[in-house]
Every structure is written in C-alpha cells, then in structure tokens.
Amino acid sequence: MKRRPVHAFFLAGACWIAWMGAAADALAAPGSIVTVNADHVVVINGRKVFPIGFSGGPPLNGLTPDGGDAWREIREAGGTFFRTGASNGDWNDQVIADEQARLDAAAARGLFCWINLRELSTIAPGDAARESRLREVVNRFKNHPGLGFWKNFDEAAWGGQPADHMVRGYQIIHETDPHHPVVQTHAPRLTVEQLRPYNAALDVLNLDIYPIGYPPGNHSLLPNKEISMVGDWTRFLADVAEGQKSCWMTLQIAWSGVTGPGKTLRFPTFPQERFMAYQAIINGARGLNFFGGNNALAMTAEDAQLGWNWTFWRKVLRPVVEELADDGPLAPALVAADSPRAIQMTGAADVEFCVRESGRDLFILACKREGATVNVQFSGLPAWAGTGELLYEAPRKVTAVNGAFTDWFGPFEVHVYRFHNDAAGAFGDFDGDNDVDLEDFGHLQTCLLGWGAVQADPACLDADLNEDTYVDKSDVTLFIRCLRGPLNPLDPTCVD
C-alpha cells in the first residue's frame, strides 16, 4: 500500500478536505477556495466538482415532508449550492445578518451559497458609496467556508446595465476576494455580439431557459419550441464564451410563464427534466441550476407550509440530481476534460453526444432530439473497448466490435455508456492503483529484455505496451508518455 504524501491533504497550507465517502460529508472547509480550471471545471478546495444548484432552495432551517433537515436532504442527493443574498430588495443590515445565518447553515451541511450581490455589483463612475458598500459585503463573507460563488446583477445585459459598470463591479469583487468566481446569468435574449462585452465582468456564464409551458417554448424567441432548445441555448452560451469561460445552465422547476393570472401551471416530467439536464451537459454545460422550487404559486398546500416544492423534488428532480451527484458512477465524467478521441456517430443528424475519459473508464453521453426513433452507430472507440454498460438502464449493455457499436434512440431519449479497461497494465498502471509512477516503472524494468527477445513470462505480458511480443525501448518510450507520478489520474490516451 502506498503512503500518501502529507501535502496531498492540505490546501493553501491550512485546509483539510475529507471528500464524500458518504453523501452527507461536508465539502466546505475553513476559508474555502473556489477556482475554475483550464477545462472550465469548477474546483472547490482542490476537488473538481460539477455544481448543482437551486434558485432558491428550501427555507433556512426548513423541514422535509418527513420532518427531516431540508438542506441536508438536498446535499445527500447531490446538491451543491443555493442562490442566496439579496433577492427582493437592496442590501441592508438585515440582509447581511440573514446571509450570515445561511452561510453558517450551508457550511454545516457541506453546501455552498451563491451570493446575489444584486445592485452592488454594478458600479457607475464616481459612485464611491456603492463601491464602499460592495467592498464591505465581500469582505464580510469572503473567508466563510460556506461561500461558493458571487452572483452579479441578474440578466444585466437584458436589464440594461452597462457592461463597463459591471466590469468595474467585477474588478472590485476580485480585488477584495480573488478566491471565489463571479457568475453572470443571462436571459435567453439579445445576440452573441451584444453579450460578449460582459465576459470581462464574469468568470462563469449562466443562462436560464424554461421550455415547459403553454404554449410550449414560449420562454425562447427562437423558432425551436421543443425542449431541445436547451441544447441550442447551451451552444449559444458557449459561443458567447468563445472558449474562455465556463458555462452553466439554469433549468426549470417553475417560472412566471406557468404561474399567475392567465397562466396554466405545467411542470417538466422526469424524462423531460432528465433530457434537458443531459442535453445541456452534452453541449458544454459545466454546472446546472434549477429555478423555481420556492415559487409559492406552484406549490401544493402541504408544500406551501414547508416553503418549497417537495412534491416536484421527490417525484422529478431528485432522481435527476442523484444521477449527477458527486458520489455517483457518472461523477468522474462530469468533471473530466472532453476526450480527444475521434469517436464518430452515424445514422442520424439529431443525436448529440460527448466523450469523456477518467482513469480506466471511457464515457459516451448521448441524447436524441425530437423526431423519429433511430438506430445509430458509434465508431472510433479504442481497441480495448468491449462490453459497455448503460448507466441507469441496468441490465442493458452494448458490445463494441472493432471499435464500433450500435444502439437505438427514441425522441428525447438519453443513454450514458461506460466502457471499462480492465486489462492488466492498462496505460502503464501495472499495480492497478490508478496512477503511473516509479513503482510501475520498477515492474517494467524487471520485464525488460530488449528487442528480439520474446517476453513469454505471464507476469510480464502486461509490460508489452505496444503488443509486439517484446518488452524493449519502445515500451519504455510509451511508458514515459504515461508517467504522471503518484496520485495523478491515468491518461487514457497515452499509449494510443
């Protein structure tokens, strides 16, 4: 057994993170540090995370229908954060006191707050009073373990806030707190060109889109009124980002288009919510937020007493969140970089997919838009890919032959394939501990005979990385390409 270096358990010299072995373990640590890496993945206290949030969440110290801790149930299912801060009014002393209580409660449950700075985040030239108030609020909360992200003025571009005012607010936020990203939510309005100037005022782009209602698709002005508009708007947001920013999507629980006078209440079904979540991810979303759980006009009488839409949560949303949870089988794929493998799909123009790799696993996440049921082929898989399981569809499996497999897709259907490379010595990991280090090199040295000498020892067959029957300098070259050191994840493409 390897001795883990002590420094692997420290962040910034002080924070120790014990990541979830059980779902209820806390994520937050004193002085939480949140960044976005080069793959646009959120990193919280040194751990890559796919953020799942709620605008807004259950009330502070709220209860579930069973009398349990409301926030803890959200966390145990896989939730990461709640939007908090100022909502229906400007920042004042009471809002600050309330926010302190929410941050304390979040940190105690391993959750984070996405603090809405609202009017404080847009600073006109010469507005010294607002600038001072912004610094005061950010300074007050920046070192709290429950702080995850800052939210600046909601739908700023659509709301007419000048980009330069937003940029000034962003600069002040990061001058005061360099350790928590600023997330800007856009409305599904305006053009790519009109939104790009706001990129200088944010670290993460977010866009809200709510397709479910009567008439369908009324939230979007684009021609597509199907729920597949989620993928269209995710790609739109990625275009705004120009490959430089992380993108999230805010999806629907309930919204003003289905509540209130003259509106017909309508919720997404589980298949619809699941499709929208996965389509957003497949098209580039690195986080999801769900809006409207606290909309009183969409609650049953029982839910209204508890202050949150527990009926929708337990019937529809919780099963979706559990599939995406940070302790689930899909979690490694959600925080992995897009795979460079040239996997292709033929047989339909309306099936979308992405490919991710983590350790010895290759994932293909795929979904189909509206239209006819189709049979498609995926090709270009690595030679080792054989039987692939379909996550959340057990006992279904597919079998790849010569790097290809076929499967059926109905309209709005989602399939998540996982292929596992269980070959000994895969990617140079001879001892099977999911890293390639000097202990693995020791095994290669033991088996090294040189070109022309067939390596027939059963214990050394795994060291023939290029499968030419010899263990020689070519295998050493391949091994060096895979060598990343202890505790660093495998590179699944290093021997391709």
Side-chain angles (χ1 to χ4, degrees), residues 5-222:
V6 172
H7 64 77
F9 292 97
F10 285 84
L11 178 64
C15 295
W16 180 72
I17 305 301
W19 187 252
M20 292 180 64
D25 286 351
L27 280 167
S32 60
I33 296 177
V34 184
T35 59
V36 180
N37 71 14
D39 298 318
H40 308 309
V41 173
V42 169
V43 180
I44 300 180
N45 297 327
R47 181 78 180 199
K48 292 189 286 188
V49 174
F50 182 83
I52 301 173
F54 306 86
S55 300
L60 177 66
N61 300 320
L63 298 177
T64 70
D66 312 314
D69 185 313
W71 284 21
R72 192 167 299 281
E73 175 164 326
I74 302 296
R75 177 68 196 110
E76 288 176 352
T80 310
F81 69 89
F82 297 128
R83 188 200 67 193
T84 60
S87 55
N88 298 321
D90 292 350
W91 278 87
N92 55 43
D93 291 345
Q94 186 59 54
V95 173
I96 289 176
D98 291 344
E99 189 61 26
Q100 182 69 47
R102 285 189 287 261
L103 285 162
D104 292 345
R109 295 160 176 82
L111 287 160
F112 295 90
C113 292
W114 177 26
I115 300 181
N116 185 5
L117 292 169
R118 203 168 180 272
E119 81 287 350
L120 297 183
S121 63
T122 176
I123 309 291
D127 194 343
R130 181 171 291 185
E131 178 175 330
S132 175
R133 186 62 162 167
L134 175 60
R135 292 185 188 277
E136 175 189 348
V137 170
V138 174
N139 267 316
R140 171 68 180 266
F141 300 125
K142 68 180 183 181
N143 293 319
H144 198 290
L147 174 60
F149 317 93
W150 299 108
K151 175 179 170 62
N152 56 13
F153 197 97
D154 190 53
E155 299 182 348
W158 180 239
Q161 294 295 321
D164 61 325
H165 294 191
M166 299 301 298
V167 170
R168 180 56 186 149
Y170 172 82
Q171 291 170 341
I172 292 169
I173 294 167
H174 272 317
E175 286 171 7
T176 311
D177 175 19
H179 299 307
H180 297 93
V182 175
V183 184
Q184 170 69 70
T185 299
H186 286 309
R189 298 292 187 270
L190 304 177
T191 66
V192 168
E193 290 72 23
Q194 288 171 310
L195 295 180
R196 279 180 177 167
Y198 292 82
N199 287 354
L202 58 90
D203 302 297
V204 177
L205 280 155
N206 179 48
L207 185 140
D208 50 53
I209 187 66
Y210 314 132
I212 304 297
Y214 295 110
N218 202 37
H219 192 221
S220 174
L221 300 182
L222 299 182

Side-chain angles (χ1 to χ4, degrees), residues 287-409:
L288 294 176
N289 182 49
F290 295 93
F291 176 83
N294 60 340
N295 186 330
L297 296 176
M299 295 182 196
T300 66
E302 294 78 13
D303 287 339
Q305 291 182 343
L306 297 170
W308 207 59
N309 201 323
W310 290 101
T311 300
F312 183 83
W313 164 252
R314 291 189 169 177
K315 180 179 180 181
V316 174
L317 190 53
R318 178 167 183 156
V320 175
V321 171
E322 287 175 333
E323 290 190 17
L324 308 176
D326 45 18
D327 62 343
L330 185 57
L334 296 178
V335 296
D338 289 325
S339 172
R341 293 187 187 275
I343 292 177
Q344 299 178 332
M345 186 277 303
T346 55
D350 53 4
V351 173
E352 303 165 348
F353 70 98
C354 70
V355 182
R356 305 275 175 83
E357 296 184 75
S358 177
R360 294 170 178 253
D361 291 328
L362 181 146
F363 298 83
I364 301 175
L365 288 68
C367 68
K368 187 196 177 298
R369 292 171 172 253
E370 60 278 1
T373 297
V374 296
N375 186 253
V376 303
Q377 182 185 71
F378 292 92
S379 60
L381 278 71
W384 54 260
T387 299
E389 63 177 315
L390 276 77
L391 297 184
Y392 313 115
E393 296 186 61
R396 279 201 66 210
K397 290 178 169 55
V398 294
T399 300
V401 178
N402 296 323
F405 71 93
T406 62
D407 201 8
W408 289 92
F409 283 82

